[in-house]
Amino acid sequence: MSAVIPIFNVEYEQPVSASACDTRFAWARVPQEPTPDERVALKDKIRRLLKQQDAVLVSHYYVHPDLQDLAEETGGIVSDSLEMARFGRDHPAKTLIVSGVRFMGETAKILSPEKRVLMPDLDATCSLDLGCPIADFDAFCNQHPDRTVVVYANTSAAVKARSDWLVTSSCALDIVSALKEKGHKILWAPDRHLGSYIQRQTGADMLMWNGSCIVHDEFKAFELEDLKKQYPKAKVLVHPESPADVVALADAVGSTSAILNAARTMDAREFIVATDNGMMHKLRTLNPDKFFIEAPTAGNSATCKSCAHCPWMAMNGLAGLADVLETGANEIFVDPAVGVRARVPIDRMLAFTAALRSGQPAGTLVPNIGAA
């Protein structure tokens, strides 16, 4: 019998739009923090079970520091969703433990259908995924059959299967630029802020789905300007899922991996960071001589709901991880037919980014495709 894991419910509210799914009634739960003795015992148990079961742990930058550290200590990885996808596909382990949110586990299963994929909590989801249900998205695509469908990684397997290209925030600019050069008109989903940022940068013809991340959507330009006055030497690092007026204040804009690189290479000792505060652990670990400040999500002009941390990423905990390793619970399944179709845009993305890394002309990988 699986262990009973104590949880605390966390409510949040998402603004309703006429063209986006109403996610106000979604919910999240956060595991109770273990005591110091419990933490040591759980980590020891997880290390042992990972080895016994030929399993590898992949963790996102936004989950609890304990899970990030465990992934690296046991031969796994801490990364953004693109590198998680690559790593899980290429690692020889028979079982993948994905510490993140559900779309990440689904992506791992799509790329490795022969492997067992487990997650600490199957209810850990994403407001972008919730806000882009397949029936509504399919109807939207059908209304615009002349457009190439490009979807962000933060979507369900079914939405990926309806797309032509998958992107992450680390490769979206390059892929959309290549599509534009080939004359493609784009239907973009689901994050409107990221889509608008890419449109401004590339000049591409993009039709947007109206979705947003409940974390990044809450960063506030007015309060950020005030914070910059308090730290005049600080550089501002912003994830492009943030609103345009926040992005406009940035010294560097990019994915989680790009933010890490900017913190390492920029000539500054202080940084204001506008992304999920789970990133602070890795930023501070890699840059112990630098000072990192969370960008504001609340203040005179805001009511904070997520407070810069995804409530679903917070559902990943040591107790849940130990439980699924011990019991085999929380396995991810993807309909094989959906998985085969969803793998096409994922493989296109991975081939494109591999070509970029090796210095090949990635633009030649963009076929003259229409809508799916």
Side-chain angles (χ1 to χ4, degrees), residues 237 258-268 271 283 287 290 292:
L237 311 179
I259 287 173
L260 283 170
N261 185 62
R264 180 179 61 84
T265 60
M266 291 182 76
D267 185 19
F271 294 89
L283 283 166
N287 305 278
K290 298 182 180 182
F292 295 94

Side-chain angles (χ1 to χ4, degrees), residues 31 39 42-43 46 50 57-60 62-74 76-78 97-100 120 281 313-322:
R39 176 175 278 109
L42 284 167
K43 285 185 173 182
I46 289 164
L50 284 168
L57 174 63
V58 294
S59 293
H60 194 271
Y62 295 167
V63 301
H64 196 287
D66 284 345
L67 300 183
Q68 294 186 47
D69 293 343
L70 261 177
E72 292 186 330
E73 291 168 8
T74 56
I77 193 173
V78 179
I97 311 296
V98 178
S99 178
H281 175 63
M313 287 287 188
M315 291 169 69
N316 291 268
L318 288 174
L321 176 55

